[in-house]
């Protein structure tokens, strides 16, 4: 699944994504930390991984494996 960064707070390492269907999806710091990224920019495209409960587990760049 992919989306666009709508908000990102570098101090808490969490934010909100806007999915392609228009749904907002919050992601916690642990999902950002799992990505290995150093920062996100507003409007940046990202790939989202979720667990079976729907919680975001990882936010990465679409080009990352």
């Amino acid at each position: 699944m992919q989306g666009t960064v709508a908000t990102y707070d570098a101090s808490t390492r969490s934010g909100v994504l806007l999915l392609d269907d228009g749904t907002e999806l919050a992601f916690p710091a642990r999902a950002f930390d799992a990505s290995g990224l150093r920062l996100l920019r507003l409007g940046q495209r990202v790939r989202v991984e979720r667990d079976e409960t729907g919680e975001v587990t990882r936010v990465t760049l679409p080009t990352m494996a």
Side-chain angles (χ1 to χ4, degrees), residues 2 5 39 44 50 65:
Q2 291 191 6
V5 177
L39 63 93
Q44 186 173 23
R50 297 164 88 175

Side-chain angles (χ1 to χ4, degrees), residues 42-58:
L42 299 182
Q44 186 173 23
R45 289 291 290 173
V46 293
R47 185 174 67 210
V48 182
E49 295 178 18
R50 297 164 88 175
D51 64 15
E52 59 279 347
T53 66
E55 183 175 344
V56 178
T57 57
R58 190 172 170 202

